[in-house]
Amino acid sequence: MKKSLKNFTDRLDFWSLQPVALTGVSGTRVLLGFVGLMYYVSQYQERNYLFGPDGVLPHEDFTAQLTGFSLYTLSASPWYFQLVYHLGIAAALAVMLGVGGRPALALHWALLWSVYQRQPGLLDGGDNLAYVVIPFLLLTRCYDRFSLPTGLASRLVRRVPGHLRAMSVPFHNLGVLMVAAQICLVYVVSGLYKVMGEEWQDGTALFYIMRVAEFELPGWSHLVYENDVLVVLGTYGTVAFLVYFPLGVLVPALRPWAATASICFHLSIAFFMGLTGFALTMIACDLVFLSGALDRAVLWARGRLARHLTSLADTASADPSKEGRPSGEHGTRTTAPEAELV
């Protein structure tokens, strides 16, 4: 009993003093910023028609049917629409580059929610996860990695009292735990929901999904749905993976493999079904389980870069052309015309 209590207190101390998954959660921030930026840029040329006050859904109709909130309801002015839309682009870019800290992340969440609500017909499901996960990231230190250094954040942190700075670690770990729990919940609910479907039970669901015109990839999808073995394996494998994914991430030795399998699974969804935003949002959340692997990859990349720069420096220092090599025909130095005039 005492040993169990000591193990519990040791683990509690670790979670209170050591931030976990810094690299993984920073990668989550980067990828979620990229997803938002991709959404804005992909619709940029048609923004007036899709989101504008005089577009396919007029401002009055949009305001009347909206059940939540959206910054686009505050004014029907075209100039206001352009300002909010371009501010959303700037906020998404800032989050991706790691500029602006938590205020920029909160602004990105509000603007992304607003533009998603403005045209729900364009959404692919990734928006629901982004709504939930970005507030969790506000608790974390997701700007500790992959961020452009500005110096402003460090100056602001020094002004915060020490006892409040000490709370950043448990809040960070709590945010990471909430992101991990959310992604596990998505997998389990999705898997159990599929289990109740008749097509998922008889192993034919993948056949029908890949034949939907909206999600079919010409020239590729037929290679899957025309193969009975791939259809059955893909259908049952999907259900098994979704239901048992949380068990995989609970075991430290299996955690990287479960996360890698999830990334491959969603890359296939992006490729075959075109649900790029959804797939990248899910992959962004999977990165919290791959923080250790990302740390090793970053260290390896830094080592390779340092060796490459050292090699270039050694080559440059050993190059005779950099040391005033004699330019005469037999190694004799020629006299410059200016020297002859002296």
Side-chain angles (χ1 to χ4, degrees):
M1 181 67 180
K2 292 182 178 180
K3 184 177 180 180
S4 301
L5 183 61
K6 185 178 184 304
N7 291 336
F8 175 76
T9 56
D10 290 343
R11 185 173 294 274
L12 186 62
D13 289 340
F14 175 82
W15 272 78
S16 301
L17 300 175
Q18 299 294 331
V20 299
L22 283 172
T23 304
V25 79
S26 298
T28 301
R29 185 211 78 234
V30 172
L31 200 48
L32 288 179
F34 173 77
V35 171
L37 182 64
M38 180 183 67
Y39 183 83
Y40 282 111
V41 173
S42 64
Q43 318 294 342
Y44 189 80
Q45 290 186 346
E46 303 295 333
R47 66 188 184 280
N48 294 314
Y49 175 73
L50 294 174
F51 309 107
D54 300 319
V56 63
L57 183 62
H59 184 268
E60 295 78 10
D61 297 338
F62 167 61
T63 305
Q65 73 178 31
L66 182 66
T67 57
F69 84 92
S70 175
L71 296 175
Y72 291 91
T73 62
L74 299 181
S75 175
S77 170
W79 289 102
Y80 175 79
F81 159 70
Q82 296 293 343
L83 174 64
V84 175
Y85 193 88
H86 287 85
L87 186 60
I89 296 176
L93 182 62
V95 169
M96 186 181 71
L97 297 179
V99 177
R102 290 181 177 88
L105 185 59
L107 179 63
H108 171 61
W109 178 82
L111 291 166
L112 196 64
W113 178 294
S114 298
V115 75
Y116 282 161
Q117 295 297 312
R118 185 65 180 90
Q119 193 54 264
L122 299 177
L123 304 180
D124 59 6
D127 58 293
N128 294 319
L129 189 59
Y131 294 155
V132 178
V133 169
I134 292 179
F136 295 161
L137 291 182
L138 293 173
L139 298 174
T140 69
R141 293 165 49 176
C142 58
Y143 283 84
D144 281 18
R145 305 283 190 274
F146 312 131
S147 299
L148 294 179
T150 60
L152 178 61
S154 59
R155 290 194 295 269
L156 292 176
V157 168
R158 286 195 294 268
R159 294 177 178 272
V160 178
H163 63 279
L164 292 180
R165 290 201 302 268
M167 293 297 295
S168 66
V169 174
F171 274 116
H172 164 83
N173 291 338
L174 177 62
V176 172
L177 182 61
M178 293 170 72
V179 173
Q182 179 63 40
I183 194 67
C184 290
L185 183 63
V186 169
Y187 281 123
V188 170
V189 172
S190 177
L192 294 179
Y193 181 79
K194 288 178 172 57
V195 168
M196 296 185 295
E198 181 180 351
E199 290 80 8
W200 292 98
Q201 293 175 6
D202 59 25
T204 61
L206 195 62
F207 173 82
Y208 296 106
I209 292 173
M210 301 197 72
R211 296 201 59 168
V212 176
E214 184 180 358
F215 301 130
E216 185 175 1
L217 180 64
W220 290 89
S221 296
H222 73 93
L223 299 177
V224 178
Y225 65 70
E226 290 180 355
N227 189 309
D228 295 340
V229 176
L230 291 179
V231 168
V232 173
L233 291 179
T235 301
Y236 288 135
T238 298
V239 174
F241 167 74
L242 294 175
V243 172
Y244 292 107
F245 175 84
L247 298 180
V249 298
L250 286 176
V251 181
L254 297 178
R255 191 174 300 150
W257 299 103
T260 302
S262 177
I263 291 175
C264 295
F265 173 72
H266 288 102
L267 286 176
S268 66
I269 290 178
F271 179 77
F272 284 104
M273 302 180 65
L275 301 176
T276 308
F278 166 76
L280 291 179
T281 303
M282 296 294 292
I283 291 173
C285 297
D286 286 330
L287 294 181
V288 299
F289 302 114
L290 287 173
S291 190
L294 290 175
D295 281 328
R296 291 189 292 271
V298 170
L299 290 176
W300 177 83
R302 287 178 177 175
R304 290 293 300 267
L305 180 61
R307 287 194 295 270
H308 181 66
L309 294 177
T310 302
S311 176
L312 289 179
D314 293 341
T315 302
S317 62
D319 190 354
S321 63
K322 306 293 184 181
E323 301 177 355
R325 183 175 52 191
S327 57
E329 183 176 352
H330 297 290
T332 59
R333 186 181 300 274
T334 57
T335 305
E338 291 83 356
E340 295 178 349
L341 294 176
V342 177

